[in-house]
């Protein structure tokens, strides 16, 4: 008997081997990734998918910038919605029948401290003159070693607003794609109306929230390595297999998982299990089947 499995796909599943995001490269990458997903569905698992969208949003932001003097730039929440639909269509074409995409909104708090200190870099690097030009349009840019890059807030996901629709489709037997890119960030104004905000929500934290909301048994965070690694980049590095939430919290607090890469994945895996999920798995896409049976991967339980 299969399980309810939510898989958070990393960006490597959506782009070419060199990170390129041309339409042909994206289509080939998605088709390859979906072969692994189709195998899980064939085994009887009810699969829900989330995905990253960094390169795709980066392309839209570049188009915004190049055409800013011709057409008004679209806001970041629109970019998120567009990429959910585009990537979702590629996934649907690769999976065939009994798959569905839900353009998904994620509720955030407009007073989240992240809005006062935007640190999430998005888009490409530019020279200072271009950065200053867009600062005059209200954007925040910061200088890095490779040049200037736009930064935005990355607030905490509070609720996946469209989870009931996702649940209904899962219960009806569909493989569902939802909360791509962490979801379209929205907040409630003083009158209770929802409006999009300029922010990027961490896709793995959003995946953990979605997994709880749709009664998922297992949260799988697919990356490009078969395990999370303790002491990464040191002589004492070792792959992490089965681990309790208490043990993993200690390792996380000790700084074993980099903030910009494995850290959010570990945090998402912890949150899902700590808040009632059966188990989380961090592993590579091709190893998911073996990880679900406990043969490989970093498996997190209470």
């Amino acid at each position: 008997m299969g399980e309810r499995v939510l898989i958070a796909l990393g960006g490597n599943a959506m782009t070419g081997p060199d990170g390129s995001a041309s339409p042909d490269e994206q289509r080939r990458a998605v088709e390859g990734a979906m072969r692994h997903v189709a195998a899980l569905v064939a085994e009887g698992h009810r699969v829900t998918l989330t995905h990253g969208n960094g390169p795709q949003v980066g392309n839209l932001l570049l188009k915004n910038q190049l055409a800013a003097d011709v057409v008004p730039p679209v806001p970041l929440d629109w970019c998120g919605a567009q990429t959910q639909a585009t990537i979702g269509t590629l996934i649907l074409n690769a999976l065939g029948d009994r798959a569905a995409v839900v353009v998904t909104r994620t509720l955030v708090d407009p007073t989240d401290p992240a809005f006062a200190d935007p640190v999430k870099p998005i888009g490409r690097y530019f020279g200072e003159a271009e950065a200053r030009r867009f600062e005059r349009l209200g954007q925040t840019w910061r200088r890095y070693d490779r040049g200037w890059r736009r930064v935005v807030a990355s607030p905490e996901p509070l609720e996946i607003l469209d989870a009931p629709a996702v649940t209904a489709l899962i219960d009806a037997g569909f493989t569902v794609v939802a909360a791509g890119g962490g979801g379209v960030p929205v907040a409630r104004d003083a009158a209770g109306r929802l409006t999009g905000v300029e922010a990027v929500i961490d896709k793995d934290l959003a995946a953990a929230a979605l997994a709880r909301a749709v009664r998922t048994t297992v949260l799988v965070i697919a990356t490009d390595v078969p395990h999370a690694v303790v002491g990464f980049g040191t002589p004492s590095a070792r792959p992490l297999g089965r681990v309790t939430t208490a043990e993993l919290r200690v390792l996380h607090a000790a700084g074993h998982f980099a903030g910009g890469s494995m850290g959010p994945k570990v945090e998402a895996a912890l949150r899902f299990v700590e808040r009632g999920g059966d188990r989380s798995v961090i592993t590579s896409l091709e190893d998911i089947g073996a990880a679900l049976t406990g043969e490989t991967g970093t498996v997190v339980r209470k």
Side-chain angles (χ1 to χ4, degrees):
M1 183 66 179
E3 297 185 85
R4 290 172 83 109
V5 181
L6 189 144
I7 303 173
L9 295 168
N12 60 307
M14 302 291 141
T15 59
D18 60 352
S20 61
S22 70
D24 284 344
E25 290 285 7
Q26 289 185 64
R27 185 178 63 254
R28 281 192 287 268
V30 168
E31 289 173 350
M34 289 309 105
R35 284 193 284 271
H36 299 288
V37 173
L40 296 175
V41 173
E43 291 172 5
H45 298 295
R46 290 196 175 185
V47 177
T48 306
L49 299 169
T50 68
H51 57 79
N53 65 350
Q56 292 79 12
V57 167
N59 283 348
L60 289 180
L61 292 174
L62 180 59
K63 292 175 183 178
N64 269 352
Q65 291 169 231
L66 292 175
D69 296 327
V70 181
V71 294
V74 299
L76 192 54
D77 56 305
W78 286 30
C79 293
Q82 289 177 40
T83 56
Q84 280 190 12
T86 301
I87 295 171
T89 298
L90 291 175
I91 292 174
L92 292 187
N93 289 344
L95 284 178
D97 295 338
R98 304 301 291 175
V101 177
V102 177
V103 175
T104 314
R105 300 160 298 165
T106 300
L107 184 68
V108 302
D109 183 348
T111 66
D112 190 301
F115 287 106
D117 183 27
V119 297
K120 174 67 176 178
I122 60 172
R124 304 190 185 192
Y125 292 95
F126 286 89
E128 183 175 0
E130 190 75 355
R132 298 299 187 194
R133 173 188 174 212
F134 282 93
E135 283 183 331
R136 290 192 289 273
L137 296 177
Q139 298 179 3
T140 302
W141 287 66
R142 293 191 178 180
R143 187 173 65 182
Y144 295 87
D145 290 342
R146 294 172 57 189
W148 289 75
R149 201 173 180 196
R150 185 182 175 188
V151 291
V152 297
S154 185
E156 283 283 322
L158 300 180
E159 181 184 354
I160 309 299
L161 294 176
D162 302 290
V166 177
T167 300
L169 286 164
I170 296 169
D171 290 343
F174 285 84
T175 298
V176 186
V177 187
V184 179
V186 296
R188 295 194 187 278
D189 63 18
R193 294 172 301 217
L194 289 169
T195 184
V197 294
E198 292 282 307
V200 171
I201 301 165
D202 182 86
K203 72 171 180 61
D204 294 313
L205 298 185
L210 177 63
R212 295 192 305 274
V214 300
R215 306 191 308 275
T216 293
T217 306
V218 190
L219 170 63
V220 178
I221 300 175
T223 183
D224 54 359
V225 292
H227 303 80
V229 175
V230 175
F232 181 77
T234 71
S236 59
R238 62 178 176 87
L240 193 61
R242 298 189 182 199
V243 63
T244 67
T245 53
E247 293 167 339
L248 190 55
R249 272 286 171 211
V250 171
L251 293 170
H252 195 16
H256 281 281
F257 311 108
S261 55
M262 189 57 73
K265 295 173 172 46
V266 168
E267 179 62 30
L270 282 164
R271 288 187 188 187
F272 176 68
V273 180
E274 289 172 342
R275 299 176 186 182
D278 179 64
R279 68 193 188 280
S280 297
V281 176
I282 301 173
T283 194
S284 61
L285 183 60
E286 56 267 27
D287 289 322
I288 289 176
L292 288 177
T293 61
E295 298 171 48
T296 189
T298 297
V299 181
V300 186
R301 291 184 182 269
K302 268 286 192 180

